[in-house]
mmCIF file of all heavy atoms in Angstrom:
data_model
loop_
_atom_site.group_PDB
_atom_site.id
_atom_site.type_symbol
_atom_site.label_atom_id
_atom_site.label_comp_id
_atom_site.label_asym_id
_atom_site.label_seq_id
_atom_site.Cartn_x
_atom_site.Cartn_y
_atom_site.Cartn_z
ATOM 1 N N ILE A 27 43.901 23.655 -33.059
ATOM 2 C CA ILE A 27 42.729 24.535 -33.198
ATOM 3 C C ILE A 27 41.648 23.866 -34.043
ATOM 4 O O ILE A 27 40.449 23.994 -33.760
ATOM 5 C CB ILE A 27 43.144 25.887 -33.808
ATOM 6 C CG1 ILE A 27 44.121 26.617 -32.883
ATOM 7 C CG2 ILE A 27 41.919 26.768 -34.036
ATOM 8 C CD1 ILE A 27 44.697 27.889 -33.474
ATOM 9 N N ALA A 28 42.053 23.136 -35.090
ATOM 10 C CA ALA A 28 41.068 22.421 -35.909
ATOM 11 C C ALA A 28 40.356 21.365 -35.080
ATOM 12 O O ALA A 28 39.124 21.192 -35.172
ATOM 13 C CB ALA A 28 41.751 21.779 -37.111
ATOM 14 N N GLY A 29 41.104 20.629 -34.253
ATOM 15 C CA GLY A 29 40.486 19.652 -33.360
ATOM 16 C C GLY A 29 39.545 20.332 -32.389
ATOM 17 O O GLY A 29 38.462 19.809 -32.068
ATOM 18 N N TRP A 30 39.932 21.506 -31.914
ATOM 19 C CA TRP A 30 39.100 22.300 -31.007
ATOM 20 C C TRP A 30 37.759 22.608 -31.679
ATOM 21 O O TRP A 30 36.694 22.457 -31.068
ATOM 22 C CB TRP A 30 39.866 23.572 -30.684
ATOM 23 C CG TRP A 30 39.284 24.481 -29.653
ATOM 24 C CD1 TRP A 30 37.980 24.600 -29.292
ATOM 25 C CD2 TRP A 30 40.009 25.406 -28.842
ATOM 26 N NE1 TRP A 30 37.831 25.553 -28.315
ATOM 27 C CE2 TRP A 30 39.062 26.060 -28.017
ATOM 28 C CE3 TRP A 30 41.343 25.757 -28.743
ATOM 29 C CZ2 TRP A 30 39.443 27.052 -27.109
ATOM 30 C CZ3 TRP A 30 41.712 26.734 -27.833
ATOM 31 C CH2 TRP A 30 40.770 27.371 -27.028
ATOM 32 N N ALA A 31 37.807 23.037 -32.926
ATOM 33 C CA ALA A 31 36.578 23.388 -33.643
ATOM 34 C C ALA A 31 35.681 22.165 -33.829
ATOM 35 O O ALA A 31 34.461 22.219 -33.597
ATOM 36 C CB ALA A 31 36.924 23.994 -34.995
ATOM 37 N N ILE A 32 36.277 21.045 -34.218
ATOM 38 C CA ILE A 32 35.494 19.815 -34.416
ATOM 39 C C ILE A 32 34.894 19.345 -33.094
ATOM 40 O O ILE A 32 33.715 18.978 -33.022
ATOM 41 C CB ILE A 32 36.391 18.716 -35.021
ATOM 42 C CG1 ILE A 32 36.853 19.126 -36.420
ATOM 43 C CG2 ILE A 32 35.642 17.388 -35.087
ATOM 44 C CD1 ILE A 32 37.949 18.237 -36.983
ATOM 45 N N GLY A 33 35.698 19.372 -32.030
ATOM 46 C CA GLY A 33 35.203 18.956 -30.720
ATOM 47 C C GLY A 33 34.070 19.834 -30.228
ATOM 48 O O GLY A 33 33.103 19.347 -29.623
ATOM 49 N N GLY A 34 34.178 21.135 -30.493
ATOM 50 C CA GLY A 34 33.105 22.040 -30.087
ATOM 51 C C GLY A 34 31.798 21.715 -30.777
ATOM 52 O O GLY A 34 30.729 21.704 -30.147
ATOM 53 N N LEU A 35 31.858 21.428 -32.063
ATOM 54 C CA LEU A 35 30.647 21.098 -32.823
ATOM 55 C C LEU A 35 30.039 19.780 -32.336
ATOM 56 O O LEU A 35 28.816 19.652 -32.206
ATOM 57 C CB LEU A 35 30.976 21.001 -34.311
ATOM 58 C CG LEU A 35 31.363 22.307 -35.009
ATOM 59 C CD1 LEU A 35 31.718 22.042 -36.466
ATOM 60 C CD2 LEU A 35 30.233 23.321 -34.922
ATOM 61 N N ILE A 36 30.886 18.801 -32.074
ATOM 62 C CA ILE A 36 30.383 17.484 -31.652
ATOM 63 C C ILE A 36 29.818 17.536 -30.237
ATOM 64 O O ILE A 36 28.657 17.178 -29.994
ATOM 65 C CB ILE A 36 31.504 16.431 -31.729
ATOM 66 C CG1 ILE A 36 31.925 16.195 -33.179
ATOM 67 C CG2 ILE A 36 31.047 15.116 -31.089
ATOM 68 C CD1 ILE A 36 33.142 15.307 -33.326
ATOM 69 N N PHE A 37 30.631 17.990 -29.287
ATOM 70 C CA PHE A 37 30.236 17.904 -27.888
ATOM 71 C C PHE A 37 29.209 18.966 -27.486
ATOM 72 O O PHE A 37 28.492 18.792 -26.495
ATOM 73 C CB PHE A 37 31.464 17.974 -26.992
ATOM 74 C CG PHE A 37 32.327 16.745 -27.082
ATOM 75 C CD1 PHE A 37 33.588 16.807 -27.649
ATOM 76 C CD2 PHE A 37 31.857 15.520 -26.640
ATOM 77 C CE1 PHE A 37 34.384 15.675 -27.758
ATOM 78 C CE2 PHE A 37 32.635 14.379 -26.740
ATOM 79 C CZ PHE A 37 33.903 14.447 -27.294
ATOM 80 N N GLY A 38 29.146 20.071 -28.251
ATOM 81 C CA GLY A 38 28.078 21.031 -27.984
ATOM 82 C C GLY A 38 26.716 20.396 -28.188
ATOM 83 O O GLY A 38 25.806 20.524 -27.354
ATOM 84 N N ALA A 39 26.563 19.674 -29.300
ATOM 85 C CA ALA A 39 25.299 18.989 -29.586
ATOM 86 C C ALA A 39 25.067 17.828 -28.626
ATOM 87 O O ALA A 39 23.944 17.614 -28.151
ATOM 88 C CB ALA A 39 25.298 18.486 -31.027
ATOM 89 N N VAL A 40 26.122 17.079 -28.316
ATOM 90 C CA VAL A 40 25.994 15.955 -27.376
ATOM 91 C C VAL A 40 25.542 16.460 -26.012
ATOM 92 O O VAL A 40 24.716 15.824 -25.338
ATOM 93 C CB VAL A 40 27.329 15.194 -27.262
ATOM 94 C CG1 VAL A 40 27.280 14.169 -26.128
ATOM 95 C CG2 VAL A 40 27.659 14.498 -28.576
ATOM 96 N N GLY A 41 26.051 17.605 -25.598
ATOM 97 C CA GLY A 41 25.662 18.165 -24.304
ATOM 98 C C GLY A 41 24.191 18.496 -24.221
ATOM 99 O O GLY A 41 23.571 18.347 -23.165
ATOM 100 N N ASP A 42 23.617 18.959 -25.329
ATOM 101 C CA ASP A 42 22.176 19.228 -25.335
ATOM 102 C C ASP A 42 21.371 17.930 -25.355
ATOM 103 O O ASP A 42 20.247 17.880 -24.858
ATOM 104 C CB ASP A 42 21.804 20.081 -26.556
ATOM 105 C CG ASP A 42 22.075 21.562 -26.333
ATOM 106 O OD1 ASP A 42 22.045 22.004 -25.167
ATOM 107 O OD2 ASP A 42 22.322 22.282 -27.320
ATOM 108 N N ARG A 43 21.945 16.883 -25.909
ATOM 109 C CA ARG A 43 21.206 15.628 -26.054
ATOM 110 C C ARG A 43 21.267 14.747 -24.811
ATOM 111 O O ARG A 43 20.245 14.234 -24.363
ATOM 112 C CB ARG A 43 21.730 14.849 -27.260
ATOM 113 C CG ARG A 43 21.420 15.540 -28.585
ATOM 114 C CD ARG A 43 21.979 14.759 -29.759
ATOM 115 N NE ARG A 43 21.761 15.479 -31.011
ATOM 116 C CZ ARG A 43 22.162 15.051 -32.196
ATOM 117 N NH1 ARG A 43 22.814 13.894 -32.303
ATOM 118 N NH2 ARG A 43 21.931 15.768 -33.281
ATOM 119 N N ILE A 44 22.454 14.549 -24.244
ATOM 120 C CA ILE A 44 22.572 13.616 -23.111
ATOM 121 C C ILE A 44 22.795 14.320 -21.789
ATOM 122 O O ILE A 44 22.751 13.685 -20.732
ATOM 123 C CB ILE A 44 23.693 12.585 -23.348
ATOM 124 C CG1 ILE A 44 25.073 13.245 -23.233
ATOM 125 C CG2 ILE A 44 23.529 11.894 -24.692
ATOM 126 C CD1 ILE A 44 26.226 12.253 -23.239
ATOM 127 N N GLY A 45 23.060 15.625 -21.812
ATOM 128 C CA GLY A 45 23.222 16.371 -20.577
ATOM 129 C C GLY A 45 24.552 17.105 -20.501
ATOM 130 O O GLY A 45 25.571 16.621 -20.984
ATOM 131 N N ARG A 46 24.518 18.294 -19.888
ATOM 132 C CA ARG A 46 25.730 19.107 -19.775
ATOM 133 C C ARG A 46 26.762 18.463 -18.846
ATOM 134 O O ARG A 46 27.962 18.439 -19.144
ATOM 135 C CB ARG A 46 25.406 20.497 -19.209
ATOM 136 C CG ARG A 46 24.685 21.447 -20.159
ATOM 137 C CD ARG A 46 23.175 21.190 -20.173
ATOM 138 N NE ARG A 46 22.434 22.328 -20.682
ATOM 139 C CZ ARG A 46 22.076 22.487 -21.948
ATOM 140 N NH1 ARG A 46 22.424 21.586 -22.838
ATOM 141 N NH2 ARG A 46 21.372 23.540 -22.320
ATOM 142 N N ALA A 47 26.309 17.939 -17.696
ATOM 143 C CA ALA A 47 27.228 17.401 -16.697
ATOM 144 C C ALA A 47 27.973 16.169 -17.222
ATOM 145 O O ALA A 47 29.198 16.065 -17.086
ATOM 146 C CB ALA A 47 26.470 17.051 -15.422
ATOM 147 N N LYS A 48 27.247 15.230 -17.811
ATOM 148 C CA LYS A 48 27.878 14.012 -18.329
ATOM 149 C C LYS A 48 28.905 14.353 -19.401
ATOM 150 O O LYS A 48 30.035 13.839 -19.402
ATOM 151 C CB LYS A 48 26.824 13.079 -18.929
ATOM 152 C CG LYS A 48 25.790 12.536 -17.966
ATOM 153 C CD LYS A 48 24.882 11.550 -18.687
ATOM 154 C CE LYS A 48 23.722 11.109 -17.800
ATOM 155 N NZ LYS A 48 22.735 12.201 -17.618
ATOM 156 N N THR A 49 28.522 15.210 -20.316
ATOM 157 C CA THR A 49 29.405 15.532 -21.434
ATOM 158 C C THR A 49 30.609 16.336 -20.970
ATOM 159 O O THR A 49 31.721 16.173 -21.502
ATOM 160 C CB THR A 49 28.639 16.310 -22.518
ATOM 161 O OG1 THR A 49 27.398 15.662 -22.780
ATOM 162 C CG2 THR A 49 29.429 16.394 -23.801
ATOM 163 N N LEU A 50 30.422 17.198 -19.973
ATOM 164 C CA LEU A 50 31.543 17.974 -19.439
ATOM 165 C C LEU A 50 32.594 17.038 -18.855
ATOM 166 O O LEU A 50 33.802 17.238 -19.062
ATOM 167 C CB LEU A 50 31.048 18.952 -18.372
ATOM 168 C CG LEU A 50 32.080 19.959 -17.845
ATOM 169 C CD1 LEU A 50 32.578 20.868 -18.949
ATOM 170 C CD2 LEU A 50 31.481 20.789 -16.709
ATOM 171 N N ALA A 51 32.164 16.006 -18.143
ATOM 172 C CA ALA A 51 33.099 15.035 -17.579
ATOM 173 C C ALA A 51 33.884 14.335 -18.687
ATOM 174 O O ALA A 51 35.099 14.122 -18.578
ATOM 175 C CB ALA A 51 32.347 14.013 -16.731
ATOM 176 N N ILE A 52 33.214 13.990 -19.771
ATOM 177 C CA ILE A 52 33.876 13.310 -20.896
ATOM 178 C C ILE A 52 34.942 14.203 -21.513
ATOM 179 O O ILE A 52 36.065 13.766 -21.784
ATOM 180 C CB ILE A 52 32.838 12.911 -21.968
ATOM 181 C CG1 ILE A 52 31.900 11.833 -21.419
ATOM 182 C CG2 ILE A 52 33.531 12.414 -23.235
ATOM 183 C CD1 ILE A 52 30.703 11.549 -22.313
ATOM 184 N N THR A 53 34.609 15.471 -21.734
ATOM 185 C CA THR A 53 35.555 16.376 -22.403
ATOM 186 C C THR A 53 36.761 16.680 -21.517
ATOM 187 O O THR A 53 37.894 16.756 -22.020
ATOM 188 C CB THR A 53 34.865 17.685 -22.823
ATOM 189 O OG1 THR A 53 34.232 18.288 -21.681
ATOM 190 C CG2 THR A 53 33.809 17.422 -23.883
ATOM 191 N N VAL A 54 36.537 16.874 -20.210
ATOM 192 C CA VAL A 54 37.662 17.135 -19.305
ATOM 193 C C VAL A 54 38.603 15.940 -19.283
ATOM 194 O O VAL A 54 39.836 16.085 -19.339
ATOM 195 C CB VAL A 54 37.160 17.452 -17.881
ATOM 196 C CG1 VAL A 54 38.337 17.534 -16.906
ATOM 197 C CG2 VAL A 54 36.402 18.768 -17.862
ATOM 198 N N LEU A 55 38.039 14.741 -19.212
ATOM 199 C CA LEU A 55 38.852 13.527 -19.206
ATOM 200 C C LEU A 55 39.641 13.405 -20.513
ATOM 201 O O LEU A 55 40.826 13.045 -20.514
ATOM 202 C CB LEU A 55 37.953 12.306 -19.016
ATOM 203 C CG LEU A 55 38.648 10.981 -18.679
ATOM 204 C CD1 LEU A 55 39.398 11.096 -17.365
ATOM 205 C CD2 LEU A 55 37.627 9.856 -18.627
ATOM 206 N N MET A 56 38.999 13.744 -21.625
ATOM 207 C CA MET A 56 39.653 13.616 -22.934
ATOM 208 C C MET A 56 40.836 14.565 -23.060
ATOM 209 O O MET A 56 41.943 14.156 -23.460
ATOM 210 C CB MET A 56 38.646 13.875 -24.052
ATOM 211 C CG MET A 56 39.256 13.787 -25.446
ATOM 212 S SD MET A 56 38.054 14.048 -26.776
ATOM 213 C CE MET A 56 37.153 12.509 -26.692
ATOM 214 N N TYR A 57 40.633 15.850 -22.732
ATOM 215 C CA TYR A 57 41.742 16.780 -22.924
ATOM 216 C C TYR A 57 42.858 16.553 -21.906
ATOM 217 O O TYR A 57 44.038 16.780 -22.196
ATOM 218 C CB TYR A 57 41.280 18.244 -22.973
ATOM 219 C CG TYR A 57 40.930 18.940 -21.684
ATOM 220 C CD1 TYR A 57 41.866 19.173 -20.683
ATOM 221 C CD2 TYR A 57 39.648 19.459 -21.493
ATOM 222 C CE1 TYR A 57 41.540 19.873 -19.519
ATOM 223 C CE2 TYR A 57 39.309 20.153 -20.348
ATOM 224 C CZ TYR A 57 40.254 20.353 -19.362
ATOM 225 O OH TYR A 57 39.929 21.034 -18.217
ATOM 226 N N SER A 58 42.519 16.075 -20.708
ATOM 227 C CA SER A 58 43.542 15.831 -19.699
ATOM 228 C C SER A 58 44.444 14.665 -20.089
ATOM 229 O O SER A 58 45.676 14.768 -20.055
ATOM 230 C CB SER A 58 42.882 15.541 -18.344
ATOM 231 O OG SER A 58 42.074 16.611 -17.929
ATOM 232 N N ILE A 59 43.842 13.539 -20.451
ATOM 233 C CA ILE A 59 44.616 12.355 -20.814
ATOM 234 C C ILE A 59 45.449 12.613 -22.070
ATOM 235 O O ILE A 59 46.626 12.239 -22.145
ATOM 236 C CB ILE A 59 43.686 11.145 -21.012
ATOM 237 C CG1 ILE A 59 43.075 10.733 -19.668
ATOM 238 C CG2 ILE A 59 44.444 9.973 -21.635
ATOM 239 C CD1 ILE A 59 42.064 9.612 -19.760
ATOM 240 N N SER A 60 44.869 13.265 -23.055
ATOM 241 C CA SER A 60 45.584 13.526 -24.305
ATOM 242 C C SER A 60 46.750 14.484 -24.090
ATOM 243 O O SER A 60 47.808 14.346 -24.721
ATOM 244 C CB SER A 60 44.626 14.088 -25.355
ATOM 245 O OG SER A 60 43.597 13.171 -25.642
ATOM 246 N N THR A 61 46.582 15.452 -23.193
ATOM 247 C CA THR A 61 47.686 16.354 -22.868
ATOM 248 C C THR A 61 48.817 15.580 -22.211
ATOM 249 O O THR A 61 49.998 15.773 -22.540
ATOM 250 C CB THR A 61 47.208 17.486 -21.941
ATOM 251 O OG1 THR A 61 46.236 18.278 -22.624
ATOM 252 C CG2 THR A 61 48.372 18.383 -21.529
ATOM 253 N N GLY A 62 48.471 14.686 -21.277
ATOM 254 C CA GLY A 62 49.488 13.862 -20.638
ATOM 255 C C GLY A 62 50.206 12.968 -21.633
ATOM 256 O O GLY A 62 51.434 12.805 -21.586
ATOM 257 N N LEU A 63 49.458 12.383 -22.556
ATOM 258 C CA LEU A 63 50.063 11.513 -23.573
ATOM 259 C C LEU A 63 50.994 12.280 -24.504
ATOM 260 O O LEU A 63 51.930 11.704 -25.066
ATOM 261 C CB LEU A 63 48.967 10.824 -24.387
ATOM 262 C CG LEU A 63 48.171 9.737 -23.654
ATOM 263 C CD1 LEU A 63 47.009 9.246 -24.510
ATOM 264 C CD2 LEU A 63 49.071 8.566 -23.275
ATOM 265 N N SER A 64 50.745 13.585 -24.674
ATOM 266 C CA SER A 64 51.627 14.400 -25.510
ATOM 267 C C SER A 64 53.063 14.347 -25.001
ATOM 268 O O SER A 64 54.019 14.402 -25.788
ATOM 269 C CB SER A 64 51.140 15.852 -25.538
ATOM 270 O OG SER A 64 49.853 15.959 -26.115
ATOM 271 N N ALA A 65 53.223 14.230 -23.689
ATOM 272 C CA ALA A 65 54.558 14.167 -23.100
ATOM 273 C C ALA A 65 55.276 12.872 -23.460
ATOM 274 O O ALA A 65 56.513 12.794 -23.366
ATOM 275 C CB ALA A 65 54.469 14.295 -21.586
ATOM 276 N N LEU A 66 54.519 11.855 -23.864
ATOM 277 C CA LEU A 66 55.097 10.551 -24.175
ATOM 278 C C LEU A 66 55.315 10.355 -25.674
ATOM 279 O O LEU A 66 55.657 9.253 -26.108
ATOM 280 C CB LEU A 66 54.191 9.443 -23.633
ATOM 281 C CG LEU A 66 53.827 9.540 -22.140
ATOM 282 C CD1 LEU A 66 52.916 8.394 -21.744
ATOM 283 C CD2 LEU A 66 55.085 9.569 -21.273
ATOM 284 N N SER A 67 55.119 11.404 -26.450
ATOM 285 C CA SER A 67 55.271 11.301 -27.904
ATOM 286 C C SER A 67 56.685 10.853 -28.277
ATOM 287 O O SER A 67 57.677 11.347 -27.732
ATOM 288 C CB SER A 67 54.987 12.657 -28.560
ATOM 289 O OG SER A 67 53.688 13.102 -28.263
ATOM 290 N N ASN A 68 56.763 9.933 -29.230
ATOM 291 C CA ASN A 68 58.057 9.438 -29.705
ATOM 292 C C ASN A 68 58.521 10.145 -30.972
ATOM 293 O O ASN A 68 59.700 10.078 -31.329
ATOM 294 C CB ASN A 68 57.974 7.936 -29.982
ATOM 295 C CG ASN A 68 57.747 7.134 -28.709
ATOM 296 O OD1 ASN A 68 58.479 7.297 -27.740
ATOM 297 N ND2 ASN A 68 56.726 6.286 -28.709
#
């Protein structure tokens, strides 16, 4: 949840600066890959 809050603050502003579509693609890729990597935790 803390990461969620930090990500919201960062990417909300980035979305206004570089565009909603570009930033949305970045965030979807980030949460998808990180979720998959969670399965590989040692």
Side-chain angles (χ1 to χ4, degrees):
I27 297 174
W30 187 335
I32 295 169
L35 292 178
I36 294 173
F37 290 112
V40 171
D42 278 333
R43 292 179 184 179
I44 72 171
R46 287 83 160 93
K48 296 184 187 72
T49 313
L50 187 62
I52 293 170
T53 55
V54 172
L55 193 61
M56 179 178 287
Y57 77 64
S58 301
I59 292 176
S60 299
T61 297
L63 289 173
S64 297
L66 306 179
S67 301
N68 294 308

